[in-house]
Amino acid sequence: MGQQLHGTLGWFDALVAEAIPKEWNPEKADRLRRDAFAFLSLPDGSLLALVNTGAKAPHAVALLGSEGEARTVANSLEEFLLLWSRGETEIAELDDEEGASGRKALASWLKAKKVKAPKAKDFDFAAWLDGDAALPPPAEAPAVAEHTFAPTPVMKKLGPKTQRLASLLGRRADAPEVIAYVTGVLGKKVPPSTSENNDSVNVEAAKHGVELVFSHDILNDAFPPIPKTSKTFIPYVCSAWVRAGIGENVLDVPWKVTTEAEITRLLGPPTGRQAAFADEDELTVAYWTWPLDTAGHVWLELSFEESLTVTLAVKSAGALVRYPDVTTGLFVGYAVTRGLLDTSRFPAHRALLAAVETREAKGSEFVKQALARGLWDDHLRDVPGLHEVAWRWFHNMNGLWITADLKKTFGKRAGPFGHDEPKLDDDSWDAVDKAAPLLDKRFAAWIAK
């Protein structure tokens, strides 16, 4: 190919073989430096590497993200070059529109050289990095039930393409139906795993009008994480954007609809209105929603703000706290005594809830036993406004912040990561009582009388 102008093939500085920095993953540095090397650096510090996958398999191309992301880009160097020439690497810096001319030249060169991708088994770099060993299920782990899709009347009204797509929501990535659709219909690859550092993977097929999201992190008790190795998971199909390229209207709504009134004439009044962003109070976006399975796990939403948006999604809560600490226990104790918690969500912990309500147990004891995956917004009562205010309070939005309130109540000290934290070591009932007056002001509208 010779020399190319910078940006002609995407945004990177050079193709240079070098050892993978130990700092990227000190724990796995020796294996990475023995069995892989970096050959391309991206502007954000991410690296592309060639990985020796085994004696009878070609070297695979993997992404070592600057934030710890680890995933397979291609099963061989040849496949990577072919994907690169089509702008389908799923790496924005290489698929950028400004690199189209260079990719066209690369495609011509590959064709002239008769370069083809060798047949190779799909390589899972994240699982390889973790040691590849599948985890035996722990004895106490609940069985993961296969999602059974009993369609609602609205599901049956969808066109055949949208209906097939919707039937995949909630299924595991390794389900035959998912593999057949993603590889056979979309012509894409199914992500083999996700991880804590890379908890979701998007698969976009623009010409088919579909963008799928795969994730193990669905905050819904019916879809628990499924470990693949100690640090990777088998993801589910958790959501999808549907666009005009799918080739059929959804519930007879034209894709080029220009007003909310047009949709209302076809579907009736909106289910509700929502803010365009979580920190906004003005409810400007009209939306219409319907369950697509009788269990109410999979939902269809049409929304309108200047144009039509169609999404399919597994119902998932919002995470108020992913990794609970003493402040979570304090809030949960307070929430139980003020009637903010949706106690119907915890049938297996009724005795413990009663003990917290009578102050015989602390909130942290309930958190430890019942909230292994953290505190979610739908753990609170489903009443207007409560989830939104709780979300803002836990995420430091619109002048609300749990940390600021608790520092005001208990004083502050330097935290382990350089930020101030409340002087709070125990969610005792004395501590709850001390915080209650301020919390009562925050949640006065929803406290059970």
Side-chain angles (χ1 to χ4, degrees):
M1 293 291 288
Q3 287 188 338
Q4 302 290 329
L5 291 174
H6 188 249
T8 301
L9 273 168
W11 299 106
F12 62 96
D13 289 330
L15 293 168
V16 178
E18 57 186 358
I20 294 170
K22 291 183 177 180
E23 294 78 12
W24 187 80
N25 188 329
E27 183 183 349
K28 305 293 183 181
D30 290 342
R31 186 179 193 195
L32 283 167
R33 292 169 78 89
R34 183 189 70 230
D35 294 331
F37 64 88
F39 68 91
L40 189 150
S41 298
L42 297 170
D44 68 348
S46 299
L47 302 170
L48 289 185
L50 272 179
V51 184
N52 182 359
T53 65
K56 296 183 179 180
H59 283 52
V61 176
L63 174 69
L64 285 65
S66 58
E67 300 297 323
E69 177 186 1
R71 67 174 176 88
T72 304
V73 177
N75 293 318
S76 66
L77 180 60
E78 294 89 343
E79 183 185 29
F80 168 70
L81 292 173
L82 290 165
L83 290 171
W84 193 0
S85 73
R86 299 195 295 265
E88 296 178 359
T89 66
E90 304 295 336
I91 297 169
E93 293 86 349
L94 302 185
D95 297 340
D96 187 275
E97 282 299 318
E98 293 184 41
S101 62
R103 289 197 300 272
K104 186 176 180 180
L106 175 59
S108 298
W109 183 83
L110 292 170
K111 184 177 180 180
K113 298 297 181 181
K114 299 181 180 180
V115 175
K116 295 184 178 181
K119 290 185 178 180
K121 183 179 178 181
D122 285 341
F123 174 63
D124 186 347
F125 176 60
W128 175 89
L129 193 62
D130 199 28
D132 282 316
L135 288 178
E140 69 276 9
V144 179
E146 182 67 28
H147 175 53
T148 55
F149 203 108
T152 61
V154 171
M155 174 69 166
K156 295 175 183 178
K157 291 180 181 179
L158 299 176
K161 293 179 181 179
T162 309
Q163 196 171 131
R164 181 179 181 185
L165 173 60
S167 71
L168 303 179
L169 273 291
R171 296 191 186 278
R172 293 164 48 138
D174 56 1
E177 302 92 335
V178 174
I179 295 170
Y181 181 80
V182 174
T183 61
V185 176
L186 302 184
K188 299 291 182 176
K189 289 185 177 182
V190 177
S193 66
T194 48
S195 66
E196 290 295 336
N197 284 332
N198 185 32
D199 63 9
S200 66
V201 177
N202 289 36
V203 175
E204 183 176 9
K207 69 178 182 179
H208 294 281
V210 173
E211 182 173 355
L212 295 169
V213 182
F214 290 80
S215 179
H216 67 273
D217 193 29
I218 298 177
L219 303 188
N220 181 324
D221 292 330
F223 301 90
I226 307 169
K228 183 175 183 179
T229 64
S230 64
K231 294 181 180 178
T232 65
F233 303 86
I234 298 170
Y236 300 94
V237 182
C238 70
S239 63
W241 284 281
V242 187
R243 302 185 177 107
I246 200 166
E248 60 187 27
N249 292 337
V250 177
L251 299 181
D252 295 326
V253 178
W255 286 101
K256 293 185 179 181
V257 65
T258 57
T259 67
E260 179 186 322
E262 293 176 69
I263 305 177
T264 299
R265 281 196 293 271
L266 292 166
L267 302 179
T271 304
R273 295 181 184 278
Q274 58 196 4
F277 299 98
D279 62 348
E280 294 181 354
D281 292 316
E282 190 175 358
L283 305 180
T284 59
V285 182
Y287 66 90
W288 294 256
T289 58
W290 301 267
L292 296 182
D293 68 326
T294 55
H297 290 313
V298 178
W299 287 75
L300 165 68
E301 178 180 289
L302 277 67
S303 62
F304 184 82
E305 186 186 31
E306 297 183 358
S307 62
L308 177 67
T309 300
V310 177
T311 56
L312 301 163
V314 177
K315 186 177 181 181
S316 182
L320 300 180
V321 182
R322 286 190 176 273
Y323 306 104
D325 59 16
V326 65
T327 66
T328 316
L330 182 140
F331 173 76
V332 167
Y334 167 82
V336 170
T337 59
R338 294 300 195 270
L340 299 177
L341 205 68
D342 180 1
T343 56
S344 69
R345 291 292 308 277
F346 307 100
H349 299 90
R350 287 174 183 157
L352 182 54
L353 271 172
V356 175
E357 192 168 2
T358 57
R359 298 182 168 226
E360 296 171 43
K362 296 189 295 185
S364 57
E365 295 174 62
F366 181 81
V367 169
K368 183 177 181 180
Q369 291 193 34
L371 300 178
R373 298 180 65 193
L375 178 65
W376 306 343
D377 59 2
D378 70 357
H379 289 150
L380 305 181
R381 288 167 41 230
D382 186 12
V383 291
L386 176 56
H387 292 183
E388 290 78 8
V389 166
W391 180 268
R392 292 175 178 181
W393 191 60
F394 276 96
H395 292 91
N396 190 16
M397 299 170 69
N398 296 66
L400 300 173
W401 193 22
I402 178 176
T403 300
D405 283 349
L406 296 185
K407 286 194 295 186
K408 184 176 181 179
T409 301
F410 298 105
K412 63 183 181 180
R413 64 189 176 197
F417 303 107
H419 302 288
D420 288 340
E421 65 177 15
K423 287 183 180 178
L424 183 65
D425 297 308
D426 184 13
D427 62 314
S428 67
W429 286 107
D430 285 343
V432 174
D433 289 340
K434 188 173 182 179
L438 183 50
L439 301 192
D440 283 345
K441 291 180 181 179
R442 298 292 185 218
F443 298 98
W446 303 281
I447 292 175
K449 304 300 182 183

